[in-house]
Amino acid sequence: CRVCHRADLAGGLHPLSLPGEPAPPDLTVRGPLRRWTLAQFERAMREGRTPDGRRLDREFMPWPAFAGLDDVELESIWLFLVGQAGSDGIE
């Protein structure tokens, strides 16, 4: 996650961005993920579809690599991402 979404997970273009690549979204509590549920996150990682119905572009977000993770693994990623709220002083 930190390669494309940057070390602080705040998104935006990164040093390895390709020409025309969309800016990866903010995965911190300030980003759109804060409005997602675990079930919506799992669907995005398994089916490549966001809660608002957008398709994740496999070229820039390799969601199929996450599709094979089991429920516990995906929930662990989810808990890490949503658990960042207290780590940077954001409540």
Side-chain angles (χ1 to χ4, degrees):
C1 300
R2 293 184 189 275
V3 171
C4 295
H5 295 273
R6 299 188 345 190
D8 61 1
L9 298 175
L13 294 178
H14 53 87
L16 300 176
S17 295
L18 300 172
E21 179 177 335
D26 184 343
L27 296 182
T28 71
V29 296
R30 291 179 290 275
L33 202 62
R34 74 182 179 279
R35 294 184 299 273
W36 292 20
T37 65
L38 171 59
Q40 291 170 325
F41 177 75
E42 290 173 332
R43 181 177 181 210
M45 295 297 99
R46 290 196 171 118
E47 300 173 20
R49 189 165 304 280
T50 65
D52 62 1
R54 287 182 305 108
R55 284 298 267 165
L56 297 175
D57 185 333
R58 292 175 188 227
E59 183 178 351
F60 300 112
M61 174 51 204
W63 64 266
F66 296 88
L69 295 179
D70 65 32
D71 292 345
V72 172
E73 292 167 320
L74 282 177
E75 184 175 7
S76 295
I77 295 169
W78 169 253
L79 290 172
F80 171 78
L81 293 172
V82 300
Q84 296 179 90
S87 69
D88 63 0
I90 298 170
E91 299 293 329

